[in-house]
Amino acid sequence: MKRTALLLVILFGYLAHVDSQKLAVKTNAIYWATATPNLSLEAAVGKRVTIDLSAGYNPFTFKENRKWKHYLIQPEIRYWLCEAFNGHFFGLHSGFSEYNVGRIPLLYNKDARKYRYEGWLTGVGISYGYQWILGNHWNLEASVGFGFVHAQYKKYDCPKCGEFKGKFHDNFFAPTKAALSIIYLIK
């Protein structure tokens, strides 16, 4: 956790000193659809290379004690085929999340409706995306990623007050990113 905090301080320090047309602020509509407020900053570090840092936080518990509580930090380095913030790009990303999930259907875990999971995960993946220029300051981006995930968690019998079932860990390949983002370019 201390390494992640240090990385964030260094990255935000760099982003505070970038010059015009090299900084973008964005938000991912897919995260909002899962009730996860989020924000990303992306900075050009070369003509075809950018560094993106995304963060999301979901503190909510829904009716019938359904929850998808988590925070997520996902840095990514991107290589653009044309120029930064325009067209196709490929990325290499990693990420870290802590979570408390219960009574939520998950594609990769059919038991998620019956149990509550508390833990953390980290991973690394590759991504592909495309960014459309909408105007002088506005862009739209779609991207997807796939990679390796390591998760460690505690499993509980029922979502609210259930019996502790044990500590577990999993390693698997899965989608690691999905974004449809609206972007504001700072000039």
Side-chain angles (χ1 to χ4, degrees):
M1 192 63 179
K2 289 179 185 178
R3 289 182 194 172
T4 302
L6 179 61
L7 175 65
L8 292 175
V9 168
I10 291 169
L11 184 59
F12 280 114
Y14 171 78
L15 292 176
H17 293 92
V18 297
D19 47 357
S20 65
Q21 294 188 336
K22 293 189 177 182
L23 181 65
V25 178
K26 51 191 178 175
T27 190
N28 182 349
I30 295 173
Y31 284 4
W32 283 102
T34 65
T36 304
N38 66 93
L39 187 67
S40 297
L41 294 175
E42 185 172 6
V45 293
K47 187 173 183 171
R48 293 185 179 185
V49 178
T50 59
I51 295 175
D52 179 74
L53 180 63
S54 300
Y57 177 63
N58 184 323
F60 309 113
T61 298
F62 303 100
K63 66 180 180 176
E64 299 177 3
N65 203 40
R66 292 176 193 248
K67 61 180 78 177
W68 181 259
K69 292 183 176 189
H70 69 282
Y71 73 84
L72 168 69
I73 298 169
Q74 190 171 49
E76 179 175 39
I77 187 162
R78 294 176 169 182
Y79 178 78
W80 297 79
L81 298 184
C82 182
E83 63 183 350
F85 305 111
N86 182 17
H88 301 274
F89 66 85
F90 292 95
L92 176 63
H93 59 270
S94 76
F96 178 81
S97 180
E98 284 191 76
Y99 57 89
N100 183 352
V101 178
R103 300 197 62 176
I104 298 288
L106 299 174
L107 294 174
Y108 53 87
N109 184 339
K110 294 179 182 177
D111 289 338
R113 286 180 178 242
K114 296 186 254 181
Y115 299 101
R116 185 171 63 84
Y117 299 89
E118 234 180 272
W120 61 271
L121 60 82
T122 189
V124 63
I126 57 172
S127 62
Y128 165 77
Y130 191 88
Q131 203 167 113
W132 294 269
I133 296 173
L134 301 177
N136 287 337
H137 292 279
W138 295 98
N139 284 7
L140 180 67
E141 174 187 299
S143 65
V144 294
F146 189 82
F148 174 79
V149 177
H150 172 77
Q152 291 193 6
Y153 57 92
K154 297 174 186 172
K155 184 176 178 179
Y156 296 88
D157 200 18
C158 76
K160 194 167 187 176
C161 57
E163 179 182 325
F164 178 67
K165 293 294 194 180
K167 292 182 180 181
F168 302 90
H169 65 88
D170 286 325
N171 296 304
F172 53 94
F173 289 93
T176 51
K177 182 173 196 152
L180 182 59
S181 299
I182 187 76
I183 302 162
Y184 183 76
L185 298 166
I186 298 173
K187 291 187 177 186

